[in-house]
Amino acid sequence: MTTTGEDHATVRGGPWWWTRWRSAVLDTGLAAVSAAECGAEGVRFAHDAGIPAAVGVAFGVLSGSALIVRRKWPIAVVLVSIAITPAQMGYLMGIVGLYTLAASELPRRIIGSLAGMSFLGMLIVMFVRVRQDTQRGSWELGDWFVPFASITTAVGMTAPPVLLGMYVGARRRLMESLRERADSLERELQLLAERAEERAEWARGEERTRIAREMHDVVAHRVSLMVVHAAALQAVARKDPEKAVKNAALVGDMGRQALTELREMLGVLRSGDGRDARERTAVPLVAVGVAAAAAASRAVEDESAADGPCLSDVDELLGQSAAAGMAVDLSVEGETRSYAAEIEQTAYRVVQEALTNVHKHAAGAKTHVRLAHRVSEIAMQVENEPPPEPASASAARLPSGGNGLVGMRERVLALGGVFVSGPTDAGGFRVSAVIPAA
C-alpha cells in the first residue's frame, strides 16, 4: 500500500514550524537577502532622517530579517513591509510577503485588505519619490509622468505576487484535496476488499450448507426407503418369492432415482465451478465486492432456477412410502394452485423429510399428511401415530445424523415461514410448517 499524506508529513519533517528542511533553507536565504537589502537601504534612510548610519543599518537588517517567519506569520511580515515602506526599504520583503499571504489559507478579505494597504503605501511613496526626482532633474516629462510612474510601480510591486500566490495556493489546495481523495479511496478499497472477503467466506459457508441440505434431502429419503424394502425383502425372500421380487424391483428403482438426482446435482455443481473459475479470471480486483454479492445470492438463484420437485409429486412420494409398508393418508384443504418454484420445492422437501423420519424412528406407524392452500400461505403438517411395536422403530437399523429437522427449519425460515416440530401427547411426532405464498 502506498504512503498516505499523513505519513508524508511525518517522514519529511523540518525544524520548528517548517514541514521540510528545504523550506527552512529557502526562507533563511530569503531573509538574509532581505536583511542585506534593507541594511543597504538603511544608510540612505539614516542620512535622510539625520540619525547615525549604524542605527539605520541595524534598523534595516532587523526589519528585513522578519521575512524568516513568512510561513508562520505572513500577516506580520506584510505589516512590517508596509510600515517600512515610507523609509523606502523592504521591497523584496513586500513582494515575498504578499506572495506568501496570497498563497496561505487566510480569508480573502484579509488578503485583499492587506494587499490594498500595500498598494496604497507603495503608491504614495513612489509618487513622492518620483516627484522629488523629477524636480531635481533638468528634463521636462509633463505632469502625466508622475502619477503614471507611481501607479505602474505600485501595481507592478503588488499585483503579480498576489496573483501568483493565489494561483499557487489554489493549486496546492487542489493537490492536497486530490491526495486526500486518493488516500480515502485507498482506504475504501481496502475496506471493500476486507468486506468482500468476509462476504465471500459467508457465501462459501452458505453454499456448503445448501449443498449439504440438498444432499441430505436427496439421499436420505431414497436410501431410507431402500433400507426398509431391503429389510422386507430379507424377511419375505423365502416365504413369498413374488413379493420379494417386487421389493427388489422397488429397491432398484429407488436406487436409480437416487443416482439420477445425485448426477443432476453434481452436474449443477460442476457447471457452477466452471462459471466461478471464469468469473475469477474475468472480474478485476475493483469489482470483488460485486463478485462476492453475486456468489452470495447465487445459491438462491440456482435453487429457484433448477428443475426440482413440486407439490404435484407428493402423491408419488406417498405412494413410495405406502409401498414400503407405511399406512399413510393425504388430506388437502382449499383450492389447489401453483406457487413459485422455491415454495413448492420447500413444501415437498418438508413432507419428504418428515416421512423419512417416520421410516427411521417409527416404522409401521400410521401417518397423516395434510396440505392447506390458504389465501396468502400454504401450510403442511405430517403427523404419525405411535408405532405398533416399540421395537419396530429400530428394526431397519436406519442411522440418523440429526440434520433433517435442521434442514427443514432452514428451508422454511429462508422463505419467511414458520416451522414447528415436536412429539404429540399420544406418543407420536408432528412436523408443521407455514410458508407465505408470495
Side-chain angles (χ1 to χ4, degrees):
M1 189 175 70
T2 59
T3 307
T4 60
E6 293 80 1
D7 297 333
H8 283 299
T10 303
V11 173
R12 299 187 297 177
W16 297 331
W17 58 83
W18 288 286
T19 58
R20 294 177 296 182
W21 280 96
R22 186 176 64 181
S23 301
V25 172
L26 176 61
D27 290 353
T28 303
L30 290 174
V33 175
S34 178
E37 176 205 357
C38 293
E41 294 170 345
V43 177
R44 181 179 178 181
F45 169 69
H47 180 268
D48 294 339
I51 59 177
V55 176
V57 172
F59 174 75
V61 171
L62 182 61
S63 300
S65 300
L67 194 59
I68 197 171
V69 296
R70 69 182 185 95
R71 297 179 189 269
K72 188 172 182 61
W73 296 301
I75 297 178
V77 173
V78 174
L79 290 176
V80 170
S81 66
I82 295 174
I84 64 176
T85 299
Q88 300 181 10
M89 65 174 62
Y91 298 108
L92 176 62
M93 183 169 59
I95 295 174
V96 177
L98 287 175
Y99 164 81
T100 306
L101 179 69
S104 65
E105 302 292 336
L106 293 173
R108 294 298 177 87
R109 62 178 183 275
I110 297 178
I111 297 175
S113 300
L114 292 177
M117 293 171 59
S118 179
F119 172 79
L120 184 60
M122 183 63 65
L123 179 64
I124 295 174
V125 170
M126 291 306 300
F127 184 85
V128 174
R129 182 173 180 177
V130 172
R131 187 179 181 87
Q132 291 177 353
D133 293 342
T134 304
Q135 290 177 353
R136 293 196 191 105
S138 57
W139 58 86
E140 295 291 339
L141 297 176
D143 297 335
W144 59 271
F145 179 75
V146 176
F148 173 77
S150 303
I151 294 174
T152 303
T153 305
V155 170
M157 296 288 290
T158 306
V162 172
L163 294 178
L164 181 60
M166 294 178 65
Y167 167 76
V168 172
R171 184 175 179 275
R172 182 174 63 244
R173 287 188 291 271
L174 176 61
M175 295 301 296
E176 291 176 354
S177 175
L178 293 177
R179 187 180 298 110
E180 291 176 358
R181 291 179 62 183
D183 295 338
S184 176
L185 180 60
E186 183 178 359
R187 290 191 294 268
E188 290 178 0
L189 288 177
Q190 184 179 5
L191 181 60
L192 179 61
E194 294 175 356
R195 290 182 177 178
E197 185 177 358
E198 295 176 358
R199 294 178 65 182
E201 183 63 28
W202 173 82
R204 287 192 292 269
E206 289 292 318
E207 189 72 9
R208 286 193 294 268
T209 302
R210 187 183 72 88
I211 293 173
R213 186 169 59 242
E214 290 290 340
M215 295 288 289
H216 178 273
D217 291 342
V218 169
V219 175
H221 181 73
R222 304 289 185 193
V223 174
S224 298
L225 292 181
M226 291 171 62
V227 173
V228 172
H229 282 292
L233 176 62
Q234 183 180 4
V236 302
R238 296 181 178 179
K239 298 179 181 180
D240 192 350
E242 183 178 354
K243 187 175 182 180
V245 171
K246 183 179 179 181
N247 287 340
L250 288 175
V251 171
D253 292 339
M254 292 178 184
R256 283 187 289 271
Q257 291 176 2
L259 288 175
T260 300
E261 293 184 2
L262 285 175
R263 289 192 187 99
E264 292 177 355
M265 182 176 297
L266 292 176
V268 172
L269 292 178
R270 290 193 184 97
S271 63
D273 292 340
R275 179 177 58 185
D276 293 341
R278 291 192 300 271
E279 289 179 355
R280 282 194 294 268
T281 57
V283 176
L285 179 61
V286 179
V288 66
V290 179
S297 61
R298 190 175 299 134
V300 179
E301 295 176 358
D302 291 344
E303 185 174 355
S304 62
D307 294 334
C310 56
L311 287 176
S312 60
D313 300 329
V314 172
D315 292 334
E316 180 183 357
L317 183 65
L318 298 182
Q320 294 174 355
S321 296
M326 177 186 293
V328 57
D329 61 71
L330 172 67
S331 62
V332 180
E333 301 176 3
E335 183 179 357
T336 303
R337 64 183 188 273
S338 60
Y339 301 91
E342 61 270 17
I343 296 178
E344 296 207 7
Q345 291 175 15
T346 301
Y348 178 90
R349 294 302 187 190
V350 169
V351 176
Q352 181 188 53
E353 182 59 30
L355 293 177
T356 302
N357 288 339
V358 176
H359 285 293
K360 288 182 179 180
H361 307 291
K366 186 175 182 179
T367 305
H368 306 278
V369 178
R370 299 180 179 89
L371 295 178
H373 299 273
R374 299 167 184 167
V375 177
S376 59
E377 61 187 15
I378 177 174
M380 63 224 65
Q381 178 179 292
V382 179
E383 180 179 352
N384 64 277
E385 300 177 359
E389 299 180 5
S392 63
S394 59
R397 295 188 298 274
L398 293 173
S400 177
N403 297 318
L405 296 177
V406 176
M408 286 189 284
R409 179 182 299 276
E410 290 177 351
R411 284 181 176 274
V412 174
L413 295 182
L415 297 178
V418 179
F419 179 83
V420 178
S421 63
T424 62
D425 296 336
F429 198 84
R430 181 186 300 117
V431 173
S432 303
V434 179
I435 303 174

